Amino acid sequence: MVSPRRSELSAPRILFAGGMAGIFNWVVAIPADVLKSRFQTAPDGKYPNGFQDVLRELIREEGVGSLYKGFSAVMLRAFPANAACFLGYELTMRFLDWWGARA
């Protein structure tokens, strides 16, 4: 068996796995999210070539580091939010497995 059965996973392990998944997800996703937010809040017609124009302007005016604006806030939220989500999913699946075994 590659991994333990669902019923063998402890809550702390599930919380840790979910939290780390959230962290790794946002490390990769935050630049795209910054670009999307900048594009959405721009006046109509400011970026005629879409995200390419947003990326060029952002890097030219604020540097590459600007792609990680809000990093601290996102990381503070990512771990607990995703840990809770993973735990909620796993507990729901355990409940459904238990409920199905009774039927």
Side-chain angles (χ1 to χ4, degrees), residues 39-75:
F39 185 72
Q40 286 178 326
T41 59
D44 287 341
K46 180 171 182 178
Y47 301 115
N49 295 319
F51 290 108
Q52 290 177 339
D53 288 348
V54 179
L55 181 62
R56 280 190 203 111
E57 179 182 285
L58 197 59
I59 290 175
R60 181 174 11 100
E61 292 183 4
E62 301 178 41
V64 175
S66 63
L67 292 171
Y68 283 89
K69 281 188 169 188
F71 183 81
S72 299
V74 167
M75 289 301 126

Side-chain angles (χ1 to χ4, degrees), residues 25-42:
N25 172 69
W26 278 105
V27 164
V28 172
I30 197 166
D33 192 56
V34 168
L35 291 173
K36 175 213 42 113
S37 296
R38 184 69 62 107
F39 185 72
Q40 286 178 326
T41 59

